Amino acid sequence: MQATAIAHPNIAFVKYWGKRNIDRNVPAAGSVSMTLDGLETRTSVEFSEALAADSLQLDGEPVGSGETLQRVESFLDLVRRRAGIERAAQVETRNNFPTAGGLASSASGFAALARAATEAAGVDLNERELSALARRGSGSAARSVFGGFVRMEVGEEGEGAAGFQIAEADYWDLRCLIAETAEGPKRVGSTEGMLHTERTSPYYDAWIDSVGPDVDDAVSAIRDRNFGALAEVAERSCLRMHAAAMGSDPGLLYWNGTTVELIHRVRAAREGGVDAFFSIDAGPHVKIFCEPSDEADTVSLVEGVDGVNDVRVVGPGDGARLVE
Ligand code: PMV
């Protein structure tokens, strides 16, 4: 009863920021993303009668208590219930990028855990069911189950909310430059941030209403490989998500000075003919998308900028898969 899986993070072009149902972790609206190559989470799960309790090792360190362990245990409970087993599990997970720093480690983490834990427990799910299960761990993880370009669908009831692949990774060779502008974990986690925005931001409802049309626009832009159209909708969605969060009380501001500097640089470069657009999640890092022909110009946009600690360029990646 042992399995290992790999999954990659994803970056949303149309952002998910709000929950319809907290207990079942159903998003309030859809979203659209690209799964990333290069960054990966590798997770091994073993269920065994010899274990007294669940254990978790993250990047080589035992995690003895706290929210991360609780989230993993609750997720394992869902898998155990489906498998009809009671055995405890030993989970070992490793990221080749900073964990919980706003680089979407919960997306790849729960996608890999869903894939490995269901295999180890002998639960047979199709991709959509696996995606709906991964969603229970983290909303964005539902999208990382699939490779390439992915849409999150919420549906009428929301119970089965899951990802849906728009196109495979090789459909469109987009590049994503990730500029890390800070170290350490993010200050306000995404769940807390979403709930705070819903409770206190007067812009929350307007934000949620704007997501549906943006999802349609992003799906069309991807199908047509229309970079300009994708740039428009992605920057709009990112800024509206952050505007809703900033409008909370007290306001949530995930950006630092470098984040703002890079936004201006991307926009100025676009006016100068470089096809690039930015995206920012619940942290200060900036992701800049471009096509391969603009990669060198895009890299030079962030080089030498004060506060940029690390830069990497990745392409579209595959979905969550078993490796052992
Ligand atoms: O799935 P979570 O709880 O990590 O939330 C993801 C939230 C954002 O990254 C900010 C947006 C998104 O759609 O990925």
Side-chain angles (χ1 to χ4, degrees):
M1 299 191 84
Q2 195 273 337
T4 300
I6 284 179
H8 304 288
N10 67 78
I11 303 298
F13 299 125
V14 177
K15 303 291 183 192
Y16 149 53
W17 194 255
K19 296 181 197 276
R20 184 187 293 180
N21 176 317
I22 297 162
D23 295 336
R24 302 185 65 82
N25 205 29
V26 179
S31 51
V32 177
S33 62
M34 182 174 105
T35 303
L36 304 179
D37 203 5
L39 309 183
E40 71 174 42
T41 300
R42 172 184 282 256
T43 299
S44 299
V45 178
E46 183 175 11
F47 289 98
S48 162
E49 274 175 351
L51 299 166
D54 291 332
S55 71
L56 172 66
Q57 218 185 66
L58 177 60
D59 295 329
E61 299 288 331
V63 180
S65 61
E67 198 206 315
T68 306
L69 179 65
Q70 265 173 21
R71 281 176 76 182
V72 168
E73 283 177 327
S74 306
F75 191 81
L76 292 169
D77 284 341
L78 295 173
V79 176
R80 279 189 281 259
R81 210 170 303 148
R82 288 188 194 219
I85 59 171
E86 288 184 351
R87 299 174 181 201
Q90 184 172 314
V91 178
E92 271 178 44
T93 186
R94 253 176 212 286
N95 293 323
N96 71 351
F97 60 97
T99 301
L103 287 184
S105 58
S106 70
S108 51
F110 280 101
L113 182 63
R115 184 61 102 198
T118 50
E119 174 72 14
V123 179
D124 190 23
L125 300 180
N126 65 33
E127 301 269 283
R128 256 191 99 72
E129 291 165 337
L130 189 71
S131 171
L133 175 67
R135 184 202 83 224
R136 302 288 296 271
S138 149
S140 55
R143 300 187 307 240
S144 273
V145 165
F146 298 94
F149 299 85
V150 184
R151 168 186 190 150
M152 176 81 192
E153 290 179 335
V154 179
E156 286 299 304
E157 298 303 318
E159 289 296 289
F164 175 88
Q165 191 178 52
I166 304 165
E168 301 270 359
D170 62 3
Y171 183 75
W172 194 3
D173 188 13
L174 283 187
R175 300 291 157 85
C176 176
L177 179 156
I178 301 168
E180 273 183 53
T181 65
E183 281 166 18
K186 53 189 165 196
R187 270 172 290 179
V188 180
S190 52
T191 295
E192 195 187 334
M194 287 179 203
L195 299 182
H196 181 63
T197 305
E198 181 182 356
R199 262 188 246 117
T200 66
S201 176
Y203 310 137
Y204 179 77
D205 289 343
W207 149 249
I208 293 298
D209 288 346
S210 76
V211 177
D214 281 353
V215 166
D216 293 341
D217 287 354
V219 171
S220 301
I222 290 166
R223 290 219 165 106
D224 299 343
R225 297 191 191 87
N226 183 337
F227 190 88
L230 187 60
E232 247 176 58
V233 64
E235 288 194 0
R236 182 167 79 220
S237 178
C238 166
L239 292 176
R240 285 181 177 168
M241 173 199 126
H242 284 277
M246 286 179 204
S248 304
D249 189 16
L252 267 179
L253 183 55
Y254 285 104
W255 303 350
N256 60 29
T258 310
T259 317
V260 178
E261 170 69 15
L262 293 181
I263 291 174
H264 286 297
R265 281 179 168 250
V266 170
R267 290 204 153 172
R270 199 156 64 232
E271 272 166 26
V274 178
D275 270 340
F277 65 85
F278 64 80
S279 187
I280 305 148
D281 293 303
H285 312 303
V286 180
K287 292 93 182 187
I288 307 173
F289 287 87
C290 65
E291 294 197 89
S293 52
D294 285 301
E295 187 178 322
D297 285 338
T298 302
V299 171
S300 68
L301 270 182
V302 305
E303 266 172 357
V305 175
D306 248 11
V308 173
N309 299 339
D310 188 42
V311 176
R312 56 186 113 193
V313 181
V314 297
D318 292 326
R321 58 207 180 270
L322 295 167
V323 290
E324 269 169 33

